[in-house]
């Protein structure tokens, strides 16, 4: 499974990527997670299974959902509290549930 996290510059989500990767490793899940700036998402649509938006780019949710529908991946915004606390486990759970609802 490929998870793409999206924020303004791709930097604030890098901490979250590490936390999510730790959780995936502990659970022995084969998941690739990357963080990208919102204007680079188009370069990752072929690999993405799930796209999660950081709170700072939540305003792009409808636009990204349309992109997801056109390219076959799920899109949603990350819960602000989980994002702020860098709760990688909860955000990973969210992504897994999204992918399982195909």
């Amino acid at each position: 499974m490929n998870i793409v996290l999206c924020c303004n510059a791709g930097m604030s989500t890098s901490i979250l990527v590490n936390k999510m990767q730790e959780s995936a490793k502990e659970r022995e899940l084969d998941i690739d997670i990357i963080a990208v700036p919102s204007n680079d998402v188009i370069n990752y649509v072929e690999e993405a299974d799930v796209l999660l938006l950081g709170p700072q780019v939540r305003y792009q949710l409808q636009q990204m959902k349309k992109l997801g529908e056109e390219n076959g991946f799920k899109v949603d915004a990350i819960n602000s509290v989980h994002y702020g606390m860098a709760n990688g486990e909860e955000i990973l759970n969210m992504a897994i549930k999204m992918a399982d609802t195909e």
Side-chain angles (χ1 to χ4, degrees), residues 57-88:
V57 292
R58 171 176 250 138
Y59 68 93
Q60 295 181 348
L61 184 59
Q62 292 311 312
Q63 171 190 349
M64 293 297 185
K65 279 189 174 188
K66 184 175 185 218
L67 186 64
E69 289 171 9
E70 293 169 353
N71 292 280
F73 58 88
K74 303 285 183 152
V75 179
D76 207 347
I78 299 170
N79 176 297
S80 306
V81 174
H82 293 155
Y83 187 90
M85 296 181 72
N87 190 334

Side-chain angles (χ1 to χ4, degrees), residues 25-83:
K25 185 177 178 180
E26 288 171 8
R27 296 159 64 177
E28 299 180 2
L29 299 173
D30 184 23
I31 297 178
D32 291 317
I33 308 163
I34 61 169
V36 301
S38 61
N39 57 349
D40 285 352
V41 167
I42 194 71
N43 298 321
Y44 297 91
V45 295
E46 291 183 17
E47 298 110 31
D49 295 307
V50 173
L51 172 66
L52 298 175
L53 305 181
Q56 66 275 45
V57 292
R58 171 176 250 138
Y59 68 93
Q60 295 181 348
L61 184 59
Q62 292 311 312
Q63 171 190 349
M64 293 297 185
K65 279 189 174 188
K66 184 175 185 218
L67 186 64
E69 289 171 9
E70 293 169 353
N71 292 280
F73 58 88
K74 303 285 183 152
V75 179
D76 207 347
I78 299 170
N79 176 297
S80 306
V81 174
H82 293 155
Y83 187 90

